[in-house]
């Protein structure tokens, strides 16, 4: 709370307003009412202009008292021109609604790529729109994270994981936000899918590094997913039936009430293999107690209410869970021995109930205090939890002659982790100073962590209860930030900012300075440079060598551990050609300190009077560095779209136990090619392709065998023996074979009875290339002599060739 | 229905198999050059014997054992011998003044007979003294060699005069000893009839009952000992029992021994679900190979136990 003393400073900066004429307003899509970000707004025959922000809001200041024409344009929409007349000191509100200019069979890019490139100072940023997400061939269904994995700088752990390893950072170092709310475990099915339903996504902004002071609390990357606001004009919907799940999206305007306007959107998804399986069993075998044990679902909704021209409330909600539910109904057994007259009736049951997932809620209040000053206040709650609950019960009665008895054994095991994040945030944007865009804000984030394990054994006369693991913590992270983008000259712009953070478990105040520079070498060719420091106050306590991960164990940085931090330095050039080819080359260096790596061998510690299982809080101090070079060629608009990305990267980590080593996700060379090509305009057929090729990941090789000596110290006499062990090379010193995957997709739009639909076919790994997840080993033995020879190994393959197909219906 | 389900699953399984790449097994090879893997222990204790075990590492292609067929008279004996073990090495331990030649013995050694086939000194004039620097030289006919060095730790001393005359089962007991400036010690306490009667000891990991262990850092001087009842339901009293002894064993060690067996002894260096456990072949007090050359000294005491 030390930070509150700085708040007046921010407000002092913001209350000052220029006494000049100002034109401001929103730019929206005529058909849906969705805000159009990065639209170009300028006054004809003048040098006064600007672009819309993510809310579609623009401000033009220092407008001379006169009449003129204001022009609004963005690729894919018809340009709008409107005459205006303005007096000195007047604030004129002009909202625009632009009509799409979609030609027959020609998709267009609704994002102002050129405007964005001209406007933004920060490098390593890319936006993915719905069309991009849906155009790349997908594993079963389009997925945001799978698409992001195809961008330069992003590495993957394996085919089964959609987690993002960005420029040497691990997934826990990425800030994943849905409408501004932190999502802690954004995966379904152990990481195979991300939790975000692509149908509901309007835009996803991905910062691979060097992000400005506005964002904090993580030291890797930022993925800000923005959901659609909902159609303000009419109710419409989409349904999508794929191999494993169905998705539905509905959106529309709010009923008009006392002048209030607004929109809503709700989207849901559920896997249905369990229902399909259960129905099949019921159809052929009648009612059955056995149910298919797994499914996942998610739904998200958003409601916007315009209370007045200057006030808007937005409620956003996301619920997503994976459910594993093994419930074996109780079985009853009876035995009777006629000779001894012994009768026994017993019953046993077993169940596992394991839900895990995220629930988020947020309420945002946007207030246009003045045309130049916009406040955004945000209160949110994000909860991630898993709860593994196992229950075994065995009970019965017996009788023999006149004697009777009963027995009962019950064992329950609970393992849970709950992360409960409550955030209050206020952000002010001020456009009052010419050539400056000033932003400041305050964020208070309280996170409750509850990680625990419980056992209970019960019989008829005894109850044994143990709670060997209980890690409860509450942390409060308070931060303020201030940043200014200053267009010093038409060619040179800088973005300077700082974020100051207070972490309740530490005494120190943390300062993260950020600096960005953009120099326009020529029209649409810019040089960008960024430096910044990034602190983080939470971590996950999963073993770093885990190849398949279902759940994350989140922990606040303990009081006795220094806060991890990273420095980013990025240098790059960007160029956008007239025919919408975007080229970016970037080199980066990242340095990490105070990282925590779980001691994978440490399971039990012995205190003075009790043994405690502490698998999640024994860490090695870790440092790391990463550097690389990336190239991106992206076709941003037009019928054919896609990109070619190449990454050269090196990441090294250091712990005392192993020295410097490559982490499991390090891949030296990565080449990704993504394309979406219309092959028949008349029949609306699209062909898509994704090529992924990369160096193999590191692994620790066995190089020999030896005897490891072991001591037994006891009160009689110490004793020793040796056992055979593998002699291994340095940690992760060898590489798996080259990774290659070619996926293709075909998509056709058609209609039946006037209802448009789309059918698609996706072919995954069509060359059936064996991409090893790891190696499995087996001992070799001389079958004649029985002598133990060396070892053999075989690759454990990831995705083989397979295909998926589905339908998408527009209602 | 089951037929339909099995058929469906079979179809899916067959489909996956048809598409799944075939597993191709290949030999794991390495360019590892075998080195000596030695465990040498120099004892300043009158009961514990000094010994050296000489092994070598194997590369990935080499067999771990050899089939031996011996014919003695009409009898044929078939057995395997380890290829790790080196039986014809020259092992010399020296204190800089005298050299002691250790010779290979194939009988079991150790309380539990677990460490066999070690090199022992056959004379009776090997008396390592605290603070002395001793060296080890091992050479094999195959050309492998290692050297080692250890500094014999101070003799540990339990302050037995401060211990009670008897130990009552549920009492606590303060144990004190001569602290050491630079060396770690390990104290092991347990009852003599531990495995047979009056005890609730359940193995090395849990350390319940009378059997307790304390790793003593330099400068530490005392420890409060008590029987640790982990589970009341298992706190058994053998009615037949009427006599037992509480044994106290205090062992001092040099840094090589501490590093190998205590500091890194419990920490699995490498674990893999597909390969198993492994290690990089650490060496402490050994040059030219892997393993450990350490030295220890022991003090013992016993106390009668009363119910």
């Amino acid at each position: 709370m030390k930070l509150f003393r700085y708040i007046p400073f921010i407000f002092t900066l913001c209350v000052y307003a220029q006494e000049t004429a100002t034109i401001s307003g929103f730019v929206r899509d005529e058909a849906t009412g969705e805000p159009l970000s990065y639209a170009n707004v300028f006054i004809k025959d003048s040098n006064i202009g600007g672009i819309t922000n993510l809310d579609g809001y623009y401000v033009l200041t220092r407008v001379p008292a006169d009449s003129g024409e204001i022009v609004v344009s963005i690729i894919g929409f018809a340009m709008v021109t409107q005459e205006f007349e303005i007096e000195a000191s007047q604030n004129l509100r002009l909202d625009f609604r632009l009509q799409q200019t979609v030609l027959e069979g020609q998709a267009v890019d609704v994002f102002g790529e050129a405007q964005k490139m001209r406007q933004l100072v920060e490098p390593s940023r890319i936006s993915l729109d719905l069309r991009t997400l849906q155009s790349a061939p997908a594993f079963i269904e389009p997925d945001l994270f799978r698409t992001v994995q195809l961008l330069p700088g992003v590495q993957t752990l394996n085919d089964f994981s959609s987690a993002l390893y960005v420029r040497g950072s691990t997934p826990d170092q990425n800030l994943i936000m849905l409408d501004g709310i932190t999502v802690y475990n954004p995966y379904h099915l152990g990481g195979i899918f991300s939790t975000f339903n692509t149908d509901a996504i309007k835009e996803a902004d991905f910062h691979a590094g060097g992000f400005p002071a506005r964002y904090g609390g993580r030291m890797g990357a930022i993925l800000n997913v923005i959901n659609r606001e909902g159609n303000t004009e009419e109710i419409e919907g989409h349904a999508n039936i794929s191999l494993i799940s169905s998705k539905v999206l509905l959106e529309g305007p709010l009923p008009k009430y006392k002048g209030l306007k607004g929109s809503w959107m709700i989207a849901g998804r559920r896997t249905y293999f369990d229902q399909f399986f259960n129905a099949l069993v019921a159809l052929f075998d009648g009612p059955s107690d056995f149910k298919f044990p797994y499914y996942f679902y998610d739904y998200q909704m958003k409601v916007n209410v315009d209370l007045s021209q200057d006030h808007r409330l937005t409620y956003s909600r996301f619920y997503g869970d994976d459910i594993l539910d093994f419930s074996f109904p109780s079985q009853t057994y009876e035995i009777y021995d006629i000779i001894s007259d012994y009768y026994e009736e017993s019953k046993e049951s077993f169940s596992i109930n394991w839900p895990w997932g995220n629930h988020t809620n947020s309420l945002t209040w946007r207030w246009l205090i003045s045309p130049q000053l916009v406040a955004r206040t945000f209160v949110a709650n994000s909860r991630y939890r898993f709860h593994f609950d196992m229950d075994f019960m065995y009970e019965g009665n017996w009788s023999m002659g006149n004697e009777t008895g009963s027995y009962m054994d019950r064992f329950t095991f609970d393992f849970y982790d709950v992360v409960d994040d409550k955030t209050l945030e206020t952000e002010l944007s001020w456009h009052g100073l010419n050539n400056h865009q000033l932003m400041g804000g305050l964020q208070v984030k309280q996170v409750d962590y509850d990680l625990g394990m419980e056992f209970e054994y019960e019989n008829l006369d005894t109850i044994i209860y143990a709670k060997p693991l209980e890690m409860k913590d509450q942390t409060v992270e308070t931060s303020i930030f201030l940043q200014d983008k200053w267009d010093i000259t038409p060619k040179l712009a800088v973005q300077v900012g700082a974020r100051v953070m207070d972490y309740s478990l530490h005494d120190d105040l943390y300062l993260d300075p950020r600096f960005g520079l953009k120099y326009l070498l020529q029209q649409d060719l810019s040089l960008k440079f960024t430096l910044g420091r990034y602190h983080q106050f939470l971590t996950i306590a999963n073993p770093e060598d885990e190849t398949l991960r279902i759940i994350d164990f989140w922990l606040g940085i303990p009081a006795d551990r220094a806060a991890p931090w990273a420095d980013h330095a990025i240098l790059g050039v960007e160029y956008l050609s007239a025919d919408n080819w975007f080229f970016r080359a970037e080199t980066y260096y990242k340095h990490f300190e105070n990282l925590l790596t779980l001691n994978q061998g440490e399971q039990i510690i012995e205190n003075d009077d009790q043994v405690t299982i502490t698998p999640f809080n024994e860490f090695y101090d870790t440092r790391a560095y990463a550097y690389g070079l990336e190239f991106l060629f992206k076709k941003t608009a037009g019928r054919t779209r896609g990109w070619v990305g190449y990454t050269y990267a090196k990441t090294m980590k250091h712990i005392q136990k192993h020295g410097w080593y490559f982490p499991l996700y390090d891949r030296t060379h990565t080449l990704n090619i993504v394309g979406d090509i219309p092959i028949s305009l008349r029949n609306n057929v699209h062909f898509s392709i994704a090529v992924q090729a990369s160096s193999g990941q590191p692994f620790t090789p066995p190089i020999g065998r030896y005897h490891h000596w072991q001591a037994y110290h006891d009160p009689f006499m110490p004793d020793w023996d040796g056992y055979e062990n593998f002699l291994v090379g340095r940690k992760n010193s060898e590489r798996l074979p080259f990774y290659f995957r070619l996926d293709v997709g075909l998509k056709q739009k058609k209609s039946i009875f006037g209802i448009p639909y789309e059918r698609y076919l996706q072919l995954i790994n069509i060359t059936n290339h064996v991409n090893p997840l790891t190696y499995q080993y087996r001992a070799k033995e001389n079958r004649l002599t029985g002598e133990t020879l060396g070892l053999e190994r075989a690759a454990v393959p990831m995705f083989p060739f397979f295909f998926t197909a589905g339908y998408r219906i527009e209602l | 229905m089951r037929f339909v389900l099995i058929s469906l699953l079979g179809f899916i399984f067959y489909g996956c198999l048809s598409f799944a790449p075939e597993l191709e097994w290949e030999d794991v090879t390495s360019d590892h050059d075998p080195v000596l893997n030695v465990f040498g222990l120099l004892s300043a204790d009158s009961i514990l014997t000094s010994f050296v075990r000489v092994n070598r590492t194997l590369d990935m292609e080499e067999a771990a054992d050899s089939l031996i067929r011996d014919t003695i008279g009409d009898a044929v004996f078939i057995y395997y011998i380890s290829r790790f073990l080196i039986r014809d090495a020259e092992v010399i331990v020296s204190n800089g003044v005298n050299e002691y030649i250790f010779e290979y013995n194939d009988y079991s050694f150790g309380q539990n007979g677990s460490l066999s086939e070690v090199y022992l000194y056959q004379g009776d004039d090997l008396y390592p003294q605290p603070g002395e620097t001793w060296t080890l030289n091992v050479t094999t006919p195959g050309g492998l060699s290692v050297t080692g060095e250890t500094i014999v730790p101070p003799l540990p001393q339990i302050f037995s005069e401060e211990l009670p005359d008897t130990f009552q089962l549920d009492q606590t007991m303060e144990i004190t000893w001569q602290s050491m400036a630079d060396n770690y010690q390990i104290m092991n306490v347990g009852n003599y009839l531990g495995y047979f009667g009056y005890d609730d000891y359940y193995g090395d990991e849990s350390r319940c009952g009378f059997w307790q262990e304390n790793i003593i850092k330099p400068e530490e001087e005392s420890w409060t000992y008590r029987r640790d009842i982990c589970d009341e339901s298992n706190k058994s009293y053998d009615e037949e029992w009427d006599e037992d002894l509480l044994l106290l064993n205090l062992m001092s060690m040099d840094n090589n021994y501490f590093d190998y067996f205590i500091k890194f002894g419990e920490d699995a260096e490498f674990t893999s679900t597909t390969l198993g456990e492994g290690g990089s072949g650490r060496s402490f007090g050994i040059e030219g190979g892997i393993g450990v050359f350490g030295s220890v000294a022991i003090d013992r005491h016993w106390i009668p136990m009363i119910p």
Side-chain angles (χ1 to χ4, degrees):
Chain A
M1 295 302 147
K2 296 178 279 265
L3 293 177
F4 284 115
R5 71 184 72 151
Y6 299 101
I7 296 169
F9 172 69
I10 297 174
F11 280 93
T12 308
L13 279 174
C14 296
V15 292
Y16 168 75
Q18 297 272 318
E19 292 297 321
T20 54
T22 302
I23 301 176
S24 62
F26 289 90
V27 180
R28 298 179 185 279
D29 184 338
E30 171 72 31
T32 63
E34 284 285 337
L36 294 175
S37 50
Y38 302 105
N40 214 355
V41 185
F42 60 94
I43 295 172
K44 203 172 176 182
D45 301 326
S46 81
N47 59 358
I48 299 170
I51 64 165
T52 54
N53 65 13
L54 285 176
D55 293 330
Y57 184 69
Y58 73 93
V59 188
L60 304 180
T61 57
R62 297 178 184 278
V63 180
D66 201 353
S67 59
E69 272 188 309
I70 189 165
V71 182
V72 183
S73 70
I74 184 170
I75 296 173
F77 287 81
M79 190 169 72
V80 170
T81 305
Q82 185 172 332
E83 291 182 352
F84 68 90
E85 198 166 321
I86 196 166
E87 297 172 2
S89 302
Q90 185 186 350
N91 291 326
L92 181 63
R93 174 77 176 257
L94 288 175
D95 292 339
F96 295 93
R97 299 181 82 90
L98 274 57
Q99 281 189 327
Q100 285 202 46
T101 55
V102 181
L103 301 176
E104 184 66 27
Q106 179 182 354
V108 291
D109 186 353
V110 298
F111 290 101
E113 203 67 46
Q115 289 93 325
K116 193 183 300 183
M117 188 198 145
R118 288 167 196 150
Q119 175 72 11
L120 296 175
V121 171
E122 61 256 37
S124 314
R125 178 173 172 169
I126 203 151
S127 296
L128 300 166
D129 61 338
L130 185 60
R131 190 190 155 200
T132 307
L133 296 174
Q134 292 183 338
S135 60
F139 165 65
I140 300 185
E141 60 182 55
D143 188 273
L144 170 63
F145 281 27
R146 296 278 176 191
T147 309
V148 173
Q149 283 181 337
L150 296 169
L151 294 172
V154 185
Q155 313 268 7
T156 59
L157 193 60
N158 54 58
D159 284 353
F160 306 110
S161 169
S162 59
L164 307 174
Y165 293 81
V166 186
R167 294 181 173 175
S169 286
T170 46
D172 59 313
Q173 295 168 13
N174 301 331
L175 180 59
I176 311 292
M177 293 183 291
L178 179 64
D179 285 328
I181 317 164
T182 306
V183 182
Y184 282 84
N185 184 258
Y187 313 108
H188 283 306
L189 203 58
I192 290 183
F193 303 105
S194 71
T195 49
F196 302 119
N197 181 346
T198 49
D199 287 353
I201 294 172
K202 177 189 170 195
E203 185 179 355
D205 243 347
F206 177 65
H207 303 247
F211 41 89
R214 184 183 177 196
Y215 299 108
R218 300 293 170 91
M219 55 188 174
I222 301 282
L223 182 63
N224 190 12
V225 182
I226 298 154
N227 270 343
R228 294 155 71 126
E229 294 199 346
N231 196 319
T232 57
E233 305 307 310
E234 60 179 1
I235 294 175
E236 66 170 4
H238 305 267
N240 191 336
I241 302 164
S242 78
L243 199 66
I244 63 157
S245 71
S246 283
K247 296 191 280 190
V248 176
L249 181 141
L250 289 170
E251 57 184 334
L254 286 177
K256 299 269 189 305
Y257 177 72
K258 290 187 177 177
L260 296 180
K261 288 189 292 185
S263 60
W264 55 270
M265 182 278 296
I266 183 162
R269 169 171 61 167
R270 192 195 189 280
T271 56
Y272 50 64
F273 188 74
D274 58 324
Q275 300 295 323
F276 174 71
F277 181 90
N278 296 339
L280 206 64
V281 170
L283 180 68
F284 289 99
D285 213 14
S288 167
D289 289 328
F290 180 75
K291 305 287 182 198
F292 190 79
Y294 175 81
Y295 68 94
F296 72 73
Y297 75 92
D298 54 54
Y299 76 87
Q300 38 206 299
M301 62 182 287
K302 198 169 180 178
V303 180
N304 294 289
V305 183
D306 290 318
L307 302 172
S308 71
Q309 202 178 34
D310 296 329
H311 294 274
R312 164 176 272 210
L313 284 179
T314 302
Y315 173 70
S316 179
R317 178 187 182 95
F318 170 82
Y319 263 54
D321 271 328
D322 288 54
I323 310 283
L324 184 68
D325 190 358
F326 276 110
S327 292
F328 294 99
S330 57
Q331 301 278 341
T332 304
Y333 305 95
E334 280 183 294
I335 54 171
Y336 179 64
D337 181 14
I338 196 166
I339 297 169
S340 59
D341 190 26
Y342 179 81
Y343 171 76
E344 182 180 343
E345 182 184 32
S346 61
K347 200 162 68 173
E348 72 175 15
S349 62
F350 176 73
S351 68
I352 289 176
N353 182 252
W354 186 10
W356 71 96
N358 294 279
H359 295 178
T360 71
N361 287 287
S362 77
L363 186 66
T364 307
W365 170 36
R366 190 186 65 205
W367 176 22
L368 301 181
I369 301 169
S370 75
Q372 297 95 340
L373 184 62
V374 182
R376 188 178 146 276
T377 302
F378 171 78
V379 56
N381 173 230
S382 175
R383 194 212 65 180
Y384 159 68
R385 66 96 171 75
F386 78 81
H387 191 160
F388 181 88
D389 181 7
M390 190 185 83
D391 193 332
F392 172 75
M393 190 168 187
Y394 184 65
E395 60 183 339
N397 304 300
W398 58 269
S399 65
M400 192 163 70
N402 293 326
E403 288 184 36
T404 59
S406 60
Y407 54 86
M408 188 265 280
D409 283 298
R410 182 174 186 178
F411 177 74
T412 59
F413 170 61
D414 278 356
F415 186 27
Y416 55 88
D417 187 18
V418 181
V419 181
D420 194 1
D421 174 330
K422 298 179 185 74
T423 304
L424 172 67
E425 190 179 304
T426 293
E427 194 177 274
L428 293 163
S429 316
W430 190 46
H431 303 266
L433 273 177
N434 204 22
N435 296 325
H436 286 269
Q437 287 177 28
L438 200 64
M439 282 184 91
L442 164 76
Q443 186 189 66
V444 181
K445 187 182 275 283
Q446 176 185 303
V447 189
D448 290 278
Y449 302 91
D450 188 2
L451 176 62
M453 193 186 287
E454 294 175 31
F455 302 91
E456 186 172 305
Y457 171 75
E458 183 183 350
N459 60 27
L460 289 178
D461 56 10
T462 309
I463 295 178
I464 298 170
Y465 171 79
K467 196 166 187 178
L469 177 67
E470 185 174 20
M471 296 174 68
K472 271 189 171 182
D473 227 336
Q474 183 181 81
T475 67
V476 180
E477 196 185 317
T478 310
S479 47
I480 57 170
F481 79 91
L482 189 64
Q483 72 178 47
D484 180 33
K485 183 192 165 236
W486 179 20
D487 293 308
I488 300 170
T489 70
K491 286 191 167 185
L492 180 65
V494 293
Q495 186 161 274
V496 184
R499 195 173 181 94
V500 183
M501 287 159 291
D502 174 59
Y503 180 57
S504 59
L505 300 187
H506 291 173
D507 294 330
D508 296 332
L509 209 57
Y510 296 94
L511 171 68
D512 284 359
R514 316 274 167 89
F515 172 77
L517 178 147
K518 183 178 78 169
Y519 184 74
L520 210 59
L521 297 166
Q522 62 181 63
Q523 177 71 13
D524 292 332
L525 174 63
S526 59
L527 180 72
K528 290 184 172 180
F529 174 67
T530 289
L531 273 178
R533 174 158 292 190
Y534 302 84
H535 275 93
Q536 177 160 336
F537 303 100
L538 73 175
T539 187
I540 55 168
N542 291 61
E544 67 162 347
D545 293 333
E546 240 175 17
T547 40
L548 299 173
R549 176 180 299 174
I550 294 178
I551 47 179
D552 292 335
F553 302 110
W554 286 96
L555 295 174
I557 298 298
D560 60 345
R561 292 278 182 175
W565 58 266
D567 282 340
H568 297 193
I570 302 164
L571 177 68
V573 288
E574 288 181 359
Y575 175 68
L576 185 68
S577 74
D579 51 355
N580 290 310
W581 273 98
F582 175 71
F583 167 72
R584 187 172 82 190
E586 281 185 357
T587 181
Y588 66 89
Y589 179 81
K590 284 167 82 172
H591 176 83
F592 303 83
E593 287 289 346
N594 304 333
L595 301 177
L596 299 178
T597 301
L598 187 74
N599 180 352
Q600 298 173 78
E602 190 68 31
Q603 293 291 313
I604 293 172
I605 61 164
E606 203 170 345
N607 294 324
D608 287 345
D609 55 357
Q610 62 178 356
V611 174
T612 310
I613 299 172
T614 59
F616 307 111
N617 62 357
E618 291 292 317
F619 296 103
Y620 294 116
D621 289 321
T622 308
R623 55 202 307 230
Y625 68 85
Y627 61 81
L629 180 64
E630 298 164 5
F631 296 99
L632 174 68
F633 298 89
K634 186 170 180 252
K635 186 76 166 66
T636 57
R639 287 178 184 150
T640 299
R641 297 212 301 182
W643 66 84
V644 178
Y646 167 77
T647 305
Y648 168 80
K650 182 177 179 180
T651 305
M652 296 291 280
K653 290 176 86 171
H654 181 274
I655 60 176
Q656 192 183 12
K657 183 177 174 183
H658 297 299
W660 287 101
Y661 64 95
F662 296 104
L664 212 57
Y665 50 86
D666 180 71
R667 296 174 190 263
T668 311
H669 303 280
T670 305
L671 176 70
N672 293 317
I673 302 170
V674 178
D676 176 34
I677 304 148
I679 53 174
S680 169
L681 287 178
R682 200 166 65 175
N683 294 318
N684 273 325
V685 181
H686 273 248
F687 171 74
S688 56
I689 183 169
V691 179
Q692 299 170 69
S694 71
S695 312
Q697 289 166 272
F699 74 100
T700 306
I703 58 172
R705 284 164 293 164
Y706 75 113
H707 269 200
H708 181 77
W709 313 111
Q710 189 168 256
Y712 304 94
H713 301 111
D714 70 33
F716 295 94
M717 181 73 86
D719 195 11
W720 303 269
D721 71 2
Y723 61 91
E724 193 179 324
N725 225 4
F726 285 108
L727 193 64
V728 294
R730 286 182 59 81
K731 183 177 171 71
N732 293 344
S733 56
E734 277 191 20
R735 298 269 171 176
L736 293 170
F738 172 73
Y739 177 94
F740 179 78
R741 206 174 103 192
L742 171 60
D743 302 342
V744 297
L746 276 173
K747 201 163 56 178
Q748 186 180 28
K749 283 189 174 174
K750 295 185 76 115
S751 68
I752 185 166
F753 305 122
I755 301 171
Y757 73 93
E758 185 179 81
R759 57 186 179 184
Y760 58 83
L761 173 69
Q762 318 272 7
L763 306 172
I764 307 298
N765 193 10
I766 60 171
T767 61
N768 205 21
H769 189 264
V770 180
N771 293 310
L773 174 70
T774 182
Y775 283 121
Q776 57 179 317
Y777 296 89
R778 69 183 183 194
K780 276 175 69 180
E781 188 184 272
N782 185 327
R783 291 184 183 177
L784 288 176
T785 65
E787 291 169 340
T788 308
L789 298 174
L791 273 182
E792 289 179 312
R793 73 182 180 194
V796 177
M798 293 192 275
F799 289 163
F801 165 70
F802 68 94
F803 65 91
T804 65
Y807 281 86
R808 175 185 160 85
I809 302 160
E810 290 191 19
L811 301 173
Chain B
M1 169 57 204
R2 289 187 196 284
F3 175 75
V4 173
L5 274 181
I6 291 167
S7 303
L8 185 66
L9 289 172
F11 175 76
I12 293 170
F13 182 66
Y14 175 76
C16 292
L17 276 185
S18 313
F19 289 129
E22 283 183 24
L23 293 182
E24 290 181 14
W25 289 92
E26 58 181 358
D27 288 345
V28 177
T29 59
S30 68
D31 54 2
H32 170 70
D33 292 325
V35 294
L36 288 182
N37 176 15
V38 170
F39 172 25
L41 186 78
L42 208 57
S43 169
D45 179 54
S46 56
I47 301 174
L48 178 65
T49 309
S50 301
F51 63 88
V52 179
R53 167 82 179 225
V54 182
N55 274 17
R56 69 185 180 98
T57 62
L58 304 179
D59 64 28
M60 288 312 302
E61 299 94 78
E62 205 169 353
D65 42 27
S66 299
L67 181 66
I68 302 296
R69 180 188 171 96
D70 270 353
T71 306
I72 301 174
D74 292 335
V76 176
F77 298 92
I78 294 175
Y79 54 95
Y80 294 94
I81 59 167
S82 168
R83 289 199 188 191
F84 287 99
L85 186 65
I86 293 181
R87 299 169 182 80
D88 54 358
E90 183 182 68
V91 178
I92 300 171
V93 174
S94 169
N95 59 1
V97 179
N98 297 311
E99 289 189 342
Y100 303 85
I101 298 172
F102 281 46
E103 294 176 357
Y104 177 73
N105 286 269
D106 60 3
Y107 56 80
S108 293
F109 171 84
Q111 179 193 317
N112 300 320
S114 50
L115 195 64
S116 59
E117 302 173 302
V118 295
Y119 290 76
L120 300 173
Y121 179 62
Q122 302 296 339
D124 56 2
D125 55 344
L126 178 66
Y127 299 113
Q129 296 299 308
E132 286 183 346
T133 299
W134 286 73
T135 59
L136 169 71
N137 276 282
V138 180
T139 53
T140 68
L144 298 175
S145 67
V146 295
T147 59
E149 186 175 287
T150 180
I151 299 171
V152 180
L155 297 177
Q157 186 184 356
I158 301 169
F159 293 150
S160 54
E161 64 278 10
E162 294 180 14
L163 294 172
D165 295 333
T166 56
F167 179 77
Q168 196 277 328
L169 302 182
D170 295 322
Q171 80 174 88
T172 59
M173 178 171 67
E174 192 76 0
I175 306 173
T176 55
W177 54 81
Q178 179 67 54
S179 66
M180 295 189 180
D182 302 315
N183 293 78
Y184 276 79
Q185 302 181 78
I186 185 168
M187 168 75 81
N188 290 90
V189 182
N191 59 324
Y192 180 66
L193 298 175
Y195 287 113
F196 307 106
Y198 181 71
D199 193 32
D200 46 20
Y201 172 67
Y202 290 104
D204 279 344
E205 293 299 324
S206 57
R207 295 286 175 198
C208 292
F210 293 108
W211 287 52
Q212 299 291 321
E213 180 175 280
N214 182 29
I215 294 162
I216 302 163
K217 293 174 186 162
E219 308 294 350
E220 279 186 350
E221 294 177 331
S222 66
W223 174 43
T224 303
Y225 168 81
R226 69 166 174 270
R227 177 192 187 194
D228 189 1
I229 307 298
C230 299
D231 181 354
E232 284 290 336
S233 65
N234 286 312
K235 184 180 175 182
S236 60
Y237 287 92
D238 189 332
E239 298 298 329
E240 300 297 314
W241 179 88
D242 61 357
E243 191 175 342
D244 202 348
L245 299 174
L246 191 70
L247 307 177
L248 288 76
N249 193 97
L250 180 65
M251 186 175 86
S252 61
M253 63 194 86
D254 76 328
N255 290 335
N256 299 337
Y257 188 96
F258 171 75
D259 286 342
Y260 192 93
F261 291 108
I262 307 292
K263 188 175 177 182
F264 297 108
E266 301 297 322
D267 188 3
E269 200 180 350
F270 170 82
T271 53
S272 157
T273 46
T274 56
L275 183 63
E277 274 195 22
S280 60
R282 289 169 171 151
S283 62
F284 296 98
I286 292 286
E287 291 286 332
I290 63 172
V292 57
F293 181 45
S295 49
V296 297
I298 297 174
D299 187 23
R300 303 175 181 81
H301 191 73
W302 56 267
I303 304 170
M305 295 168 69
I306 54 173

